Amino acid sequence: PALTNIPQPPAKPLVGNAFTVDAERMIQSLMELAEEHGPIFQLDMMGTPLIMVSGADLVAEVCDEKRFDKTVRGPLKRLRLIAGDGLFTGDTDDPNWAKAHNILLPSFSQKAMGSYLPMMTDIANQLMLKWERANSDDVIDVPKDMIRLTLDTIGVCGFGYRFNSFYREDFHPFIEALNRTLGTTLNMRGIPGEKLFKGDQIKQLHRDAAYMNNLVDEIIRERRSQGGDGPEDLLDFMLKGRDAVTGERLSDENIRYQINTFLIAGHETTSGLLSFTIYYLLKNRDVLKRAYAEVDAVLGRNIDRAPTLSEIGRLPYIRAILSEALRLWPTAPALGLAPYKDEVIGGKYAIPKGTFTTVLIPSLHRDTSVWGDNPEQFNPDHFTPEAEAARNPAAYKPFGNGQRACIGRQFAIQESILVLGMILQRFDLFDHTDYQLDIKETLSIKPNEFFIKARLRDDVE
Ligand code: HEM
């Protein structure tokens, strides 16, 4: 092994651990290895060491930003084809990262969220109408409807574009191209360079990238031609904003990369969260009952009136339910880090400068020293203010870490509380297949083939 002292699953000559992990279910495979080998283990990927960390105390050390920085490698690096030096795929020391971070922070602030609420509600209403109008035997494809919802929401709040996913059976061509690109760049995982891919796949990849980049460039051009009178969305912030430190603006190319980034980072993660949450509610009737009681008390029975910002802030149990779903299945399940210089963590594990060190978040979120002996149990009371205050902050990292943490966190939480609140206000939900959780892994994770039925509650007004 390259690194002494750090446990490693049995390796084969030359290839090392290249086949230890099941590529189709990589995260679940790594979780099993963490279960077996403990809070830190290493894999030898054909000579390159990969370190997987999932114990809360060790994670606290690798989340120390003075010692470790985010590193963009593997599938994330290949995503630069469409996400370039945008926030998610940019390096921390790239001047464009700091510039965009400074310009975009205000557009994701708590204050800015109020201006997105009417747009979020507009899209949420489309989902409600669809479910209200379904016949009693119609089956709802939960993950697919949640993708429609989150995609259309980021489209409208991001740059005033309507994908109109609720008005079509398949996805908008942009999304088809995005999904193909994500699939291809992800499956290239572990394969050095593009050479091993078939020529037509590579051609398709570049065709898709060109199509997406052109569509977004066109939106930017159009908005510029409106002379600043467009809607108050993220694009507006990006076109008008100046970096307070350098006084500079973002280039049109960088704005394009940010828009692609928001589409990638913002839709599968939030939709996965909503799908997992509905799954857990259906399997935990006592939690569901408390959720209905809170929604009824705060939002009332009149469904013609949309939830206000203040009401969304007064649904702490709904918020705790979402936090707990993100504990068990953090939909962005891994963080890639590397130390600035040779490091020792846990007092004995040496990690040489630059070594790829991954935080395996679903395993971190099951660390029994923090979450108790039965971490698989769905319990929103993990997120009472008292429980949160008493806990090691490194034990819960669904939105990443430090300055490289998720900029869209408030956005995702507001959207999720709004949508879940509106669903519970309106519908009885039925787990008619007695669904058994099956997880589909792409860049994010979500329930696979999850269908329910919904019926308007008898007592709606
Ligand atoms: C970064 C999770 C929703 C935009 C991240 C990271 C995580 C994460 C773990 C850090 C990634 C890393 O270290 O490599 C989530 C989850 C979400 C969510 C679980 C929903 C439940 C959103 C939304 C947006 C967004 C709605 C945009 C509207 C971003 C961006 C970054 C990021 C731009 C990169 C930030 C930076 O490094 O400057 N997210 N995210 N995310 N997220 Fe999210």
PDB file of all heavy atoms in Angstrom, residues 68-96:
ATOM      1  N   PHE A  68      -6.767  21.705   4.520  1.00  0.00           N
ATOM      2  CA  PHE A  68      -7.261  21.014   3.317  1.00  0.00           C
ATOM      3  C   PHE A  68      -8.099  21.971   2.465  1.00  0.00           C
ATOM      4  O   PHE A  68      -8.798  22.834   2.981  1.00  0.00           O
ATOM      5  CB  PHE A  68      -8.155  19.827   3.712  1.00  0.00           C
ATOM      6  CG  PHE A  68      -7.398  18.651   4.281  1.00  0.00           C
ATOM      7  CD1 PHE A  68      -6.934  18.663   5.588  1.00  0.00           C
ATOM      8  CD2 PHE A  68      -7.149  17.519   3.502  1.00  0.00           C
ATOM      9  CE1 PHE A  68      -6.239  17.584   6.131  1.00  0.00           C
ATOM     10  CE2 PHE A  68      -6.452  16.432   4.028  1.00  0.00           C
ATOM     11  CZ  PHE A  68      -6.006  16.464   5.340  1.00  0.00           C
ATOM     12  N   ASP A  69      -8.033  21.769   1.152  1.00  0.00           N
ATOM     13  CA  ASP A  69      -8.819  22.593   0.224  1.00  0.00           C
ATOM     14  C   ASP A  69      -9.621  21.644  -0.678  1.00  0.00           C
ATOM     15  O   ASP A  69      -9.220  20.497  -0.901  1.00  0.00           O
ATOM     16  CB  ASP A  69      -7.854  23.441  -0.628  1.00  0.00           C
ATOM     17  CG  ASP A  69      -8.565  24.403  -1.577  1.00  0.00           C
ATOM     18  OD1 ASP A  69      -9.735  24.766  -1.297  1.00  0.00           O
ATOM     19  OD2 ASP A  69      -7.951  24.790  -2.593  1.00  0.00           O
ATOM     20  N   LYS A  70     -10.748  22.140  -1.201  1.00  0.00           N
ATOM     21  CA  LYS A  70     -11.479  21.358  -2.194  1.00  0.00           C
ATOM     22  C   LYS A  70     -10.580  21.096  -3.392  1.00  0.00           C
ATOM     23  O   LYS A  70      -9.786  21.959  -3.787  1.00  0.00           O
ATOM     24  CB  LYS A  70     -12.721  22.129  -2.645  1.00  0.00           C
ATOM     25  CG  LYS A  70     -13.400  21.550  -3.889  1.00  0.00           C
ATOM     26  CD  LYS A  70     -14.796  22.092  -4.094  1.00  0.00           C
ATOM     27  CE  LYS A  70     -15.331  21.712  -5.477  1.00  0.00           C
ATOM     28  NZ  LYS A  70     -16.773  21.947  -5.617  1.00  0.00           N
ATOM     29  N   THR A  71     -10.670  19.918  -3.977  1.00  0.00           N
ATOM     30  CA  THR A  71      -9.920  19.648  -5.201  1.00  0.00           C
ATOM     31  C   THR A  71     -10.889  19.113  -6.260  1.00  0.00           C
ATOM     32  O   THR A  71     -11.800  18.351  -5.954  1.00  0.00           O
ATOM     33  CB  THR A  71      -8.753  18.671  -4.945  1.00  0.00           C
ATOM     34  OG1 THR A  71      -8.095  18.400  -6.182  1.00  0.00           O
ATOM     35  CG2 THR A  71      -9.212  17.361  -4.341  1.00  0.00           C
ATOM     36  N   VAL A  72     -10.711  19.566  -7.484  1.00  0.00           N
ATOM     37  CA  VAL A  72     -11.610  19.185  -8.578  1.00  0.00           C
ATOM     38  C   VAL A  72     -10.915  18.140  -9.441  1.00  0.00           C
ATOM     39  O   VAL A  72      -9.957  18.456 -10.147  1.00  0.00           O
ATOM     40  CB  VAL A  72     -11.990  20.432  -9.413  1.00  0.00           C
ATOM     41  CG1 VAL A  72     -12.893  20.049 -10.576  1.00  0.00           C
ATOM     42  CG2 VAL A  72     -12.669  21.471  -8.528  1.00  0.00           C
ATOM     43  N   ARG A  73     -11.360  16.900  -9.321  1.00  0.00           N
ATOM     44  CA  ARG A  73     -10.730  15.802 -10.092  1.00  0.00           C
ATOM     45  C   ARG A  73     -11.801  14.885 -10.662  1.00  0.00           C
ATOM     46  O   ARG A  73     -12.981  15.025 -10.343  1.00  0.00           O
ATOM     47  CB  ARG A  73      -9.808  14.975  -9.182  1.00  0.00           C
ATOM     48  CG  ARG A  73      -8.704  15.797  -8.580  1.00  0.00           C
ATOM     49  CD  ARG A  73      -7.720  14.975  -7.780  1.00  0.00           C
ATOM     50  NE  ARG A  73      -6.963  15.890  -6.913  1.00  0.00           N
ATOM     51  CZ  ARG A  73      -5.955  15.546  -6.140  1.00  0.00           C
ATOM     52  NH1 ARG A  73      -5.545  14.300  -6.101  1.00  0.00           N
ATOM     53  NH2 ARG A  73      -5.337  16.444  -5.391  1.00  0.00           N
ATOM     54  N   GLY A  74     -11.379  13.915 -11.432  1.00  0.00           N
ATOM     55  CA  GLY A  74     -12.281  12.882 -11.927  1.00  0.00           C
ATOM     56  C   GLY A  74     -13.487  13.458 -12.665  1.00  0.00           C
ATOM     57  O   GLY A  74     -13.358  14.389 -13.463  1.00  0.00           O
ATOM     58  N   PRO A  75     -14.691  12.927 -12.385  1.00  0.00           N
ATOM     59  CA  PRO A  75     -15.883  13.348 -13.111  1.00  0.00           C
ATOM     60  C   PRO A  75     -16.159  14.843 -12.975  1.00  0.00           C
ATOM     61  O   PRO A  75     -16.620  15.482 -13.923  1.00  0.00           O
ATOM     62  CB  PRO A  75     -17.018  12.549 -12.477  1.00  0.00           C
ATOM     63  CG  PRO A  75     -16.448  11.819 -11.328  1.00  0.00           C
ATOM     64  CD  PRO A  75     -14.970  11.882 -11.407  1.00  0.00           C
ATOM     65  N   LEU A  76     -15.837  15.402 -11.814  1.00  0.00           N
ATOM     66  CA  LEU A  76     -16.072  16.836 -11.606  1.00  0.00           C
ATOM     67  C   LEU A  76     -15.217  17.655 -12.572  1.00  0.00           C
ATOM     68  O   LEU A  76     -15.665  18.635 -13.151  1.00  0.00           O
ATOM     69  CB  LEU A  76     -15.711  17.185 -10.157  1.00  0.00           C
ATOM     70  CG  LEU A  76     -16.548  18.255  -9.477  1.00  0.00           C
ATOM     71  CD1 LEU A  76     -18.013  17.912  -9.555  1.00  0.00           C
ATOM     72  CD2 LEU A  76     -16.118  18.418  -8.021  1.00  0.00           C
ATOM     73  N   LYS A  77     -13.989  17.208 -12.748  1.00  0.00           N
ATOM     74  CA  LYS A  77     -13.078  17.912 -13.640  1.00  0.00           C
ATOM     75  C   LYS A  77     -13.587  17.819 -15.089  1.00  0.00           C
ATOM     76  O   LYS A  77     -13.553  18.787 -15.832  1.00  0.00           O
ATOM     77  CB  LYS A  77     -11.680  17.310 -13.519  1.00  0.00           C
ATOM     78  CG  LYS A  77     -10.624  18.135 -14.192  1.00  0.00           C
ATOM     79  CD  LYS A  77      -9.257  17.780 -13.677  1.00  0.00           C
ATOM     80  CE  LYS A  77      -8.230  18.770 -14.178  1.00  0.00           C
ATOM     81  NZ  LYS A  77      -6.933  18.550 -13.558  1.00  0.00           N
ATOM     82  N   ARG A  78     -14.091  16.640 -15.460  1.00  0.00           N
ATOM     83  CA  ARG A  78     -14.580  16.480 -16.833  1.00  0.00           C
ATOM     84  C   ARG A  78     -15.820  17.328 -17.080  1.00  0.00           C
ATOM     85  O   ARG A  78     -16.132  17.675 -18.210  1.00  0.00           O
ATOM     86  CB  ARG A  78     -14.839  15.000 -17.111  1.00  0.00           C
ATOM     87  CG  ARG A  78     -13.557  14.189 -17.210  1.00  0.00           C
ATOM     88  CD  ARG A  78     -13.832  12.775 -17.674  1.00  0.00           C
ATOM     89  NE  ARG A  78     -14.399  11.952 -16.628  1.00  0.00           N
ATOM     90  CZ  ARG A  78     -13.680  11.246 -15.750  1.00  0.00           C
ATOM     91  NH1 ARG A  78     -12.364  11.269 -15.811  1.00  0.00           N
ATOM     92  NH2 ARG A  78     -14.263  10.525 -14.824  1.00  0.00           N
ATOM     93  N   LEU A  79     -16.531  17.680 -15.997  1.00  0.00           N
ATOM     94  CA  LEU A  79     -17.711  18.527 -16.148  1.00  0.00           C
ATOM     95  C   LEU A  79     -17.362  19.942 -16.595  1.00  0.00           C
ATOM     96  O   LEU A  79     -18.228  20.720 -16.983  1.00  0.00           O
ATOM     97  CB  LEU A  79     -18.460  18.614 -14.819  1.00  0.00           C
ATOM     98  CG  LEU A  79     -19.656  17.705 -14.644  1.00  0.00           C
ATOM     99  CD1 LEU A  79     -20.348  18.036 -13.337  1.00  0.00           C
ATOM    100  CD2 LEU A  79     -20.633  17.856 -15.799  1.00  0.00           C
ATOM    101  N   ARG A  80     -16.059  20.272 -16.532  1.00  0.00           N
ATOM    102  CA  ARG A  80     -15.652  21.618 -16.958  1.00  0.00           C
ATOM    103  C   ARG A  80     -15.984  21.874 -18.421  1.00  0.00           C
ATOM    104  O   ARG A  80     -16.026  23.019 -18.859  1.00  0.00           O
ATOM    105  CB  ARG A  80     -14.152  21.818 -16.708  1.00  0.00           C
ATOM    106  CG  ARG A  80     -13.852  21.989 -15.240  1.00  0.00           C
ATOM    107  CD  ARG A  80     -12.390  22.295 -14.993  1.00  0.00           C
ATOM    108  NE  ARG A  80     -12.183  22.605 -13.585  1.00  0.00           N
ATOM    109  CZ  ARG A  80     -11.006  22.618 -12.988  1.00  0.00           C
ATOM    110  NH1 ARG A  80      -9.914  22.340 -13.681  1.00  0.00           N
ATOM    111  NH2 ARG A  80     -10.901  22.914 -11.711  1.00  0.00           N
ATOM    112  N   LEU A  81     -16.218  20.806 -19.153  1.00  0.00           N
ATOM    113  CA  LEU A  81     -16.649  20.951 -20.546  1.00  0.00           C
ATOM    114  C   LEU A  81     -17.860  21.873 -20.631  1.00  0.00           C
ATOM    115  O   LEU A  81     -17.986  22.665 -21.569  1.00  0.00           O
ATOM    116  CB  LEU A  81     -17.009  19.560 -21.093  1.00  0.00           C
ATOM    117  CG  LEU A  81     -17.427  19.437 -22.545  1.00  0.00           C
ATOM    118  CD1 LEU A  81     -16.277  19.791 -23.477  1.00  0.00           C
ATOM    119  CD2 LEU A  81     -17.917  18.025 -22.845  1.00  0.00           C
ATOM    120  N   ILE A  82     -18.782  21.774 -19.671  1.00  0.00           N
ATOM    121  CA  ILE A  82     -19.950  22.659 -19.689  1.00  0.00           C
ATOM    122  C   ILE A  82     -20.020  23.594 -18.474  1.00  0.00           C
ATOM    123  O   ILE A  82     -20.747  24.576 -18.505  1.00  0.00           O
ATOM    124  CB  ILE A  82     -21.285  21.864 -19.786  1.00  0.00           C
ATOM    125  CG1 ILE A  82     -21.340  20.759 -18.734  1.00  0.00           C
ATOM    126  CG2 ILE A  82     -21.488  21.337 -21.186  1.00  0.00           C
ATOM    127  CD1 ILE A  82     -22.704  20.126 -18.620  1.00  0.00           C
ATOM    128  N   ALA A  83     -19.276  23.280 -17.410  1.00  0.00           N
ATOM    129  CA  ALA A  83     -19.356  24.129 -16.219  1.00  0.00           C
ATOM    130  C   ALA A  83     -18.105  24.984 -16.041  1.00  0.00           C
ATOM    131  O   ALA A  83     -18.064  25.853 -15.169  1.00  0.00           O
ATOM    132  CB  ALA A  83     -19.595  23.286 -14.966  1.00  0.00           C
ATOM    133  N   GLY A  84     -17.111  24.776 -16.886  1.00  0.00           N
ATOM    134  CA  GLY A  84     -15.905  25.604 -16.944  1.00  0.00           C
ATOM    135  C   GLY A  84     -15.342  25.977 -15.586  1.00  0.00           C
ATOM    136  O   GLY A  84     -15.206  25.139 -14.692  1.00  0.00           O
ATOM    137  N   ASP A  85     -15.058  27.289 -15.430  1.00  0.00           N
ATOM    138  CA  ASP A  85     -14.552  27.769 -14.148  1.00  0.00           C
ATOM    139  C   ASP A  85     -15.701  28.343 -13.311  1.00  0.00           C
ATOM    140  O   ASP A  85     -15.522  29.274 -12.543  1.00  0.00           O
ATOM    141  CB  ASP A  85     -13.425  28.792 -14.345  1.00  0.00           C
ATOM    142  CG  ASP A  85     -13.867  29.962 -15.216  1.00  0.00           C
ATOM    143  OD1 ASP A  85     -15.036  29.980 -15.663  1.00  0.00           O
ATOM    144  OD2 ASP A  85     -13.061  30.878 -15.439  1.00  0.00           O
ATOM    145  N   GLY A  86     -16.907  27.791 -13.492  1.00  0.00           N
ATOM    146  CA  GLY A  86     -18.043  28.165 -12.644  1.00  0.00           C
ATOM    147  C   GLY A  86     -17.766  27.771 -11.197  1.00  0.00           C
ATOM    148  O   GLY A  86     -16.791  27.069 -10.904  1.00  0.00           O
ATOM    149  N   LEU A  87     -18.633  28.229 -10.298  1.00  0.00           N
ATOM    150  CA  LEU A  87     -18.378  28.072  -8.857  1.00  0.00           C
ATOM    151  C   LEU A  87     -18.096  26.645  -8.419  1.00  0.00           C
ATOM    152  O   LEU A  87     -17.240  26.393  -7.590  1.00  0.00           O
ATOM    153  CB  LEU A  87     -19.596  28.580  -8.067  1.00  0.00           C
ATOM    154  CG  LEU A  87     -19.727  30.085  -7.921  1.00  0.00           C
ATOM    155  CD1 LEU A  87     -21.036  30.419  -7.212  1.00  0.00           C
ATOM    156  CD2 LEU A  87     -18.552  30.662  -7.148  1.00  0.00           C
ATOM    157  N   PHE A  88     -18.825  25.696  -8.982  1.00  0.00           N
ATOM    158  CA  PHE A  88     -18.762  24.313  -8.510  1.00  0.00           C
ATOM    159  C   PHE A  88     -17.485  23.608  -8.974  1.00  0.00           C
ATOM    160  O   PHE A  88     -16.857  22.869  -8.230  1.00  0.00           O
ATOM    161  CB  PHE A  88     -20.015  23.583  -9.020  1.00  0.00           C
ATOM    162  CG  PHE A  88     -20.171  22.169  -8.587  1.00  0.00           C
ATOM    163  CD1 PHE A  88     -19.993  21.794  -7.270  1.00  0.00           C
ATOM    164  CD2 PHE A  88     -20.526  21.191  -9.511  1.00  0.00           C
ATOM    165  CE1 PHE A  88     -20.163  20.475  -6.875  1.00  0.00           C
ATOM    166  CE2 PHE A  88     -20.696  19.878  -9.128  1.00  0.00           C
ATOM    167  CZ  PHE A  88     -20.506  19.516  -7.812  1.00  0.00           C
ATOM    168  N   THR A  89     -17.083  23.876 -10.228  1.00  0.00           N
ATOM    169  CA  THR A  89     -15.946  23.166 -10.808  1.00  0.00           C
ATOM    170  C   THR A  89     -14.664  24.000 -10.826  1.00  0.00           C
ATOM    171  O   THR A  89     -13.627  23.520 -11.263  1.00  0.00           O
ATOM    172  CB  THR A  89     -16.275  22.689 -12.236  1.00  0.00           C
ATOM    173  OG1 THR A  89     -16.982  23.743 -12.898  1.00  0.00           O
ATOM    174  CG2 THR A  89     -17.127  21.446 -12.231  1.00  0.00           C
ATOM    175  N   GLY A  90     -14.734  25.247 -10.378  1.00  0.00           N
ATOM    176  CA  GLY A  90     -13.544  26.098 -10.356  1.00  0.00           C
ATOM    177  C   GLY A  90     -12.636  25.759  -9.179  1.00  0.00           C
ATOM    178  O   GLY A  90     -13.083  25.211  -8.172  1.00  0.00           O
ATOM    179  N   ASP A  91     -11.351  26.076  -9.306  1.00  0.00           N
ATOM    180  CA  ASP A  91     -10.410  25.888  -8.197  1.00  0.00           C
ATOM    181  C   ASP A  91     -10.481  27.089  -7.261  1.00  0.00           C
ATOM    182  O   ASP A  91     -10.653  28.223  -7.708  1.00  0.00           O
ATOM    183  CB  ASP A  91      -8.974  25.768  -8.738  1.00  0.00           C
ATOM    184  CG  ASP A  91      -8.770  24.454  -9.478  1.00  0.00           C
ATOM    185  OD1 ASP A  91      -9.306  23.435  -9.003  1.00  0.00           O
ATOM    186  OD2 ASP A  91      -8.090  24.459 -10.523  1.00  0.00           O
ATOM    187  N   THR A  92     -10.298  26.827  -5.969  1.00  0.00           N
ATOM    188  CA  THR A  92     -10.391  27.909  -4.981  1.00  0.00           C
ATOM    189  C   THR A  92      -9.391  29.031  -5.277  1.00  0.00           C
ATOM    190  O   THR A  92      -9.676  30.200  -5.042  1.00  0.00           O
ATOM    191  CB  THR A  92     -10.148  27.356  -3.559  1.00  0.00           C
ATOM    192  OG1 THR A  92     -10.916  26.156  -3.413  1.00  0.00           O
ATOM    193  CG2 THR A  92     -10.587  28.344  -2.498  1.00  0.00           C
ATOM    194  N   ASP A  93      -8.213  28.667  -5.824  1.00  0.00           N
ATOM    195  CA  ASP A  93      -7.215  29.716  -6.073  1.00  0.00           C
ATOM    196  C   ASP A  93      -7.333  30.348  -7.461  1.00  0.00           C
ATOM    197  O   ASP A  93      -6.522  31.186  -7.846  1.00  0.00           O
ATOM    198  CB  ASP A  93      -5.788  29.183  -5.824  1.00  0.00           C
ATOM    199  CG  ASP A  93      -5.468  27.984  -6.710  1.00  0.00           C
ATOM    200  OD1 ASP A  93      -6.275  27.679  -7.622  1.00  0.00           O
ATOM    201  OD2 ASP A  93      -4.417  27.353  -6.494  1.00  0.00           O
ATOM    202  N   ASP A  94      -8.363  29.979  -8.208  1.00  0.00           N
ATOM    203  CA  ASP A  94      -8.627  30.639  -9.488  1.00  0.00           C
ATOM    204  C   ASP A  94      -9.307  31.987  -9.187  1.00  0.00           C
ATOM    205  O   ASP A  94     -10.334  32.021  -8.512  1.00  0.00           O
ATOM    206  CB  ASP A  94      -9.561  29.739 -10.321  1.00  0.00           C
ATOM    207  CG  ASP A  94      -9.878  30.342 -11.682  1.00  0.00           C
ATOM    208  OD1 ASP A  94      -9.785  31.571 -11.838  1.00  0.00           O
ATOM    209  OD2 ASP A  94     -10.236  29.561 -12.588  1.00  0.00           O
ATOM    210  N   PRO A  95      -8.737  33.085  -9.671  1.00  0.00           N
ATOM    211  CA  PRO A  95      -9.328  34.406  -9.361  1.00  0.00           C
ATOM    212  C   PRO A  95     -10.819  34.474  -9.720  1.00  0.00           C
ATOM    213  O   PRO A  95     -11.583  35.165  -9.054  1.00  0.00           O
ATOM    214  CB  PRO A  95      -8.525  35.384 -10.223  1.00  0.00           C
ATOM    215  CG  PRO A  95      -7.284  34.662 -10.614  1.00  0.00           C
ATOM    216  CD  PRO A  95      -7.536  33.185 -10.512  1.00  0.00           C
ATOM    217  N   ASN A  96     -11.231  33.746 -10.756  1.00  0.00           N
ATOM    218  CA  ASN A  96     -12.641  33.762 -11.141  1.00  0.00           C
ATOM    219  C   ASN A  96     -13.543  33.120 -10.091  1.00  0.00           C
ATOM    220  O   ASN A  96     -14.728  33.429 -10.014  1.00  0.00           O
ATOM    221  CB  ASN A  96     -12.855  33.037 -12.478  1.00  0.00           C
ATOM    222  CG  ASN A  96     -12.741  34.006 -13.640  1.00  0.00           C
ATOM    223  OD1 ASN A  96     -12.770  35.215 -13.449  1.00  0.00           O
ATOM    224  ND2 ASN A  96     -12.623  33.466 -14.845  1.00  0.00           N
TER     225      ASN A  96
END
